[in-house]
Amino acid sequence: MQRFSCPHCGTRAYFHNLTCPCGRDLSFDPVAMAMSTVDPHCANRDTIGCNWSAPAPGTFCRSCAMSQVVPRLHVGDNERLLSGAERAKRWVLANLAQWGWFTPDDPGRRPHFLMLSEHTGGRALQIIMGHDNGEITINVTEADELIRLKRQLDLGEQYRSMVGHFRHELAHFLFDRLSESNPDFPPAFRALFGDERADYAEALRRHYAEPHDPGDDYITPYATAHPHEDWAETVAHLLHLVDFTDSFVSAGLSMQGVPADFRPYLETDTARLLGVAAEVAVAVNDINRALDNTDLYPFVLTTPVRHKITFAHGWLRDHLNRADTPELRSA
């Protein structure tokens, strides 16, 4: 994520800041990708700390407007949990905006989010995160770090985060958008990932009954379940790699193997992008190990996985130029 500054005094501002030490209120303008001191505030600013600009006073920002259902904020820790989940959503939407997704220039449909909590005031609710025809269900309970860590350990996952959940579920939505906008996408996808028309429920049943090792062909065990999940895991990891590399260079850090003028979100050569990301990951992994912390990126990018990431990178980065369906352009 790029660095920001207060437009009044020039002090560094972070993506989620509500105020500047100079006393000015800050809001993030997702169109300009910059901080503002004059834009109307999101209607969720006082309740869940949303710092994005809104189209008009008293309205929701672009991110909060996508959340069609939210939990009862007066029940348990739901206000804090929703705040953390929406914070992660804003981060991921800002990432995708750098490739033109959901911006004013993007003519395609937007996702809708069902932000649900296990805390209902009565019996705990079981929530399955997922995507269905444009609706993305998110379990905000996992914004609690201890709960999320326990589930990560129970499931034997190397990585689990709210940002990761949004990247994964949004990837399913992006698949639908790409399939709608360009008839070349589905056959190209099937040649690499397999036929996504295979029975999804049966594939998941088999996966949970007999989990498969990812081997060299998949980035995670869950990616082996079905072509849809392979795509979602691949896209999520692409976004992980691009964004932590972008954060590294935006912080002004430099090292051998990382060009001084490198712009990850503008890079068109996926092999070069992954090479630089690997250099950053290894360096930060070494730093984390010195503190006895977990690795920043504990995954191996095999040749088949790199091919899949290259495919996803090309389509996601260049989707506006490839959207040639008239119905999409008039949506």
Side-chain angles (χ1 to χ4, degrees):
M1 181 61 70
Q2 285 77 34
R3 285 196 171 202
F4 304 99
S5 61
C6 171
H8 175 70
C9 70
T11 299
R12 179 178 180 182
Y14 293 87
F15 181 72
H16 299 295
N17 282 166
L18 292 161
T19 60
C20 175
C22 74
R24 297 295 180 108
D25 285 342
L26 295 176
S27 60
F28 178 76
D29 180 347
V31 177
M33 293 291 286
M35 291 295 174
S36 170
T37 58
V38 298
D39 288 349
H41 295 160
C42 175
N44 274 339
R45 186 180 181 94
D46 293 335
T47 53
I48 61 170
C50 177
N51 75 329
W52 274 26
S53 302
T59 63
F60 291 117
C61 71
R62 177 194 300 172
S63 176
C64 288
M66 292 182 183
S67 295
Q68 291 195 332
V69 176
V70 298
R72 297 177 181 176
L73 299 186
H74 67 280
V75 174
D77 289 338
N78 283 347
E79 184 174 314
R80 176 180 64 85
L81 296 172
L82 180 63
S83 176
E86 289 285 354
R87 177 185 175 115
K89 173 152 70 78
R90 292 194 299 273
W91 184 275
V92 176
L93 291 176
N95 297 161
L96 289 169
Q98 299 200 59
W99 287 336
W101 289 98
F102 315 133
T103 65
D105 293 331
D106 178 6
R109 61 191 177 98
R110 272 53 172 163
H112 298 137
F113 291 87
L114 309 181
M115 308 290 281
L116 306 181
S117 172
E118 296 171 14
H119 307 310
T120 63
R123 188 170 67 177
L125 181 67
Q126 182 180 13
I127 298 168
I128 299 176
M129 287 192 263
H131 167 262
D132 182 21
N133 194 30
E135 284 193 345
I136 295 174
T137 298
I138 295 292
N139 184 356
V140 305
T141 310
E142 289 211 17
D144 185 302
E145 186 174 0
L146 293 179
I147 292 175
R148 192 173 64 251
L149 178 59
K150 182 179 185 304
R151 292 175 185 180
Q152 178 182 347
L153 295 174
D154 290 344
L155 294 169
E157 296 178 338
Q158 292 178 288
Y159 179 78
R160 191 176 182 92
S161 73
M162 288 307 297
V163 163
H165 287 321
F166 279 104
R167 286 175 175 160
H168 178 100
E169 299 305 340
L170 275 164
H172 288 301
F173 178 81
L174 299 179
F175 176 91
D176 287 354
R177 279 278 310 269
L178 290 170
S179 298
E180 295 164 358
S181 66
N182 195 307
D184 294 334
F185 176 76
F189 171 87
R190 290 165 193 155
L192 189 58
F193 288 85
D195 194 337
E196 83 288 354
R197 295 168 295 186
D199 190 310
Y200 181 77
E202 175 60 20
L204 287 190
R205 187 197 66 76
R206 289 197 307 268
H207 169 73
Y208 287 116
E210 298 180 19
H212 289 88
D213 185 275
D216 289 338
D217 293 330
Y218 302 92
I219 189 65
T220 65
Y222 192 49
T224 69
H226 188 275
H228 273 312
E229 299 306 339
D230 192 8
W231 163 262
E233 290 287 89
T234 298
V235 169
H237 279 261
L238 167 63
L239 291 172
H240 294 335
L241 291 158
V242 176
D243 200 48
F244 74 62
T245 305
D246 186 62
S247 297
F248 181 92
V249 298
S250 296
L253 300 174
S254 62
M255 57 177 284
Q256 186 174 359
V258 181
D261 60 347
F262 192 62
R263 300 287 297 278
Y265 280 102
L266 299 182
E267 181 58 59
T268 59
D269 185 338
T270 310
R272 183 170 186 250
L273 171 64
L274 295 181
V276 174
E279 294 285 350
V280 173
V282 169
V284 179
N285 285 350
D286 287 344
I287 294 171
N288 282 359
R289 291 173 187 179
L291 299 172
D292 199 24
N293 289 332
T294 57
D295 286 352
L296 168 72
Y297 191 71
F299 301 90
V300 176
L301 300 178
T302 64
T303 297
V305 167
R306 287 172 179 264
H307 288 327
K308 292 175 181 178
I309 290 176
T310 299
F311 176 87
H313 183 222
W315 280 95
L316 293 179
R317 190 193 67 246
D318 201 34
H319 72 103
L320 290 177
N321 293 330
R322 301 194 193 200
D324 57 5
T325 301
E327 291 81 2
L328 178 66
R329 292 199 172 277
S330 63

